[in-house]
Amino acid sequence: MPTEKDVAEYYDQIYAKKGVNAMRPFDYYRQVFACLGAESGKKLLDVGTGTGHLLKAAKGSGLDVYGTDISPEAVKVAQQNVPDAHLVVAAGENLPFQDSSFDYVVCFGSLEHFLDMDQGLREMIRVARPEARFMIVVPNKNYFLWKVRGEYGTKQKDLKETLMDYGGWKGFFEKHKLKIL
């Protein structure tokens, strides 16, 4: 089992090499962010912010944006991409924010790599206001293209990756009292 240090170093290499192009393009985050229905003036936390593209889209919609990443290099890239974002190096399992701080909590393609997914989700719920909306993107182990290509999982699977089908993820989120929309 990898340690938190192993995970940080793994992602530091990716972000040091690829910078703002390390993950999905900005347009992806802008389009997906629109589905959140966020209201201007509210607070959003992006757990596993990576390049900060989602924060940039949220900032463009008038939100007060916060982000965390386990990788210091990712936080450096995100800070360059969104200079006025509130960013901190932190594992998702130990978020450095007070209870009930955020109106929106998002986590794109990161939860499945957490060393302790249950603790990570508990932390996201803890820092969210009671009426908060969540947008958490996780991989479906039955993803069609993986089957066609004979693959199983993302490029990060060698480090740590939990894959489930829709029912497995639904059960995981419902166990934590989150309603799937």
Side-chain angles (χ1 to χ4, degrees):
M1 170 79 111
T3 66
E4 191 173 301
K5 183 179 182 230
D6 295 332
V7 175
E9 288 174 354
Y10 176 87
Y11 287 105
D12 277 349
Q13 290 177 12
I14 292 171
Y15 289 102
K17 181 179 179 183
K18 296 185 178 181
V20 77
N21 298 313
M23 299 293 170
R24 298 166 194 90
F26 173 68
D27 194 51
Y28 165 84
Y29 291 99
R30 188 178 57 202
Q31 291 177 38
V32 173
F33 173 74
C35 297
L36 191 58
E39 297 175 32
S40 180
K42 302 249 179 169
K43 288 175 66 177
L44 176 136
L45 173 64
D46 184 5
V47 180
T49 197
T51 60
H53 282 331
L54 188 126
L55 294 177
K56 189 174 184 178
K59 188 72 179 169
S61 294
L63 272 73
D64 188 14
V65 295
Y66 293 73
T68 67
D69 204 289
I70 195 168
S71 164
E73 279 296 321
V75 169
K76 186 169 119 183
V77 169
Q79 195 73 71
Q80 292 169 349
N81 196 18
V82 193
D84 49 354
H86 309 279
L87 295 164
V88 64
V89 175
E93 296 93 340
N94 188 24
L95 298 173
F97 304 106
Q98 293 182 0
D99 295 359
S100 302
S101 296
F102 297 97
D103 302 291
Y104 306 101
V105 178
V106 298
C107 183
F108 280 60
S110 296
L111 181 61
E112 67 272 14
H113 303 292
F114 282 17
L115 297 177
D116 185 340
M117 292 189 333
D118 286 297
Q119 178 59 26
L121 195 52
R122 281 191 296 271
E123 277 292 281
M124 288 183 229
I125 293 166
R126 178 187 66 77
V127 301
R129 293 191 172 120
E131 69 282 358
R133 295 185 78 186
F134 292 81
M135 183 179 276
I136 301 173
V137 176
V138 290
N140 186 323
K141 76 176 185 177
N142 294 321
Y143 179 50
F144 175 72
L145 284 180
W146 287 343
K147 292 189 178 279
V148 170
R149 294 178 185 157
E151 297 172 353
Y152 186 75
T154 69
K155 292 176 181 160
Q156 298 135 30
K157 67 181 173 279
D158 295 335
L159 182 65
K160 168 31 174 110
E161 182 168 69
T162 300
L163 295 176
M164 293 186 245
D165 62 11
Y166 175 78
W169 284 115
K170 185 174 188 256
F172 175 75
F173 292 120
E174 288 175 345
K175 174 178 84 172
H176 289 276
K177 309 288 190 249
L178 292 177
K179 180 180 174 186
I180 308 298
L181 300 176

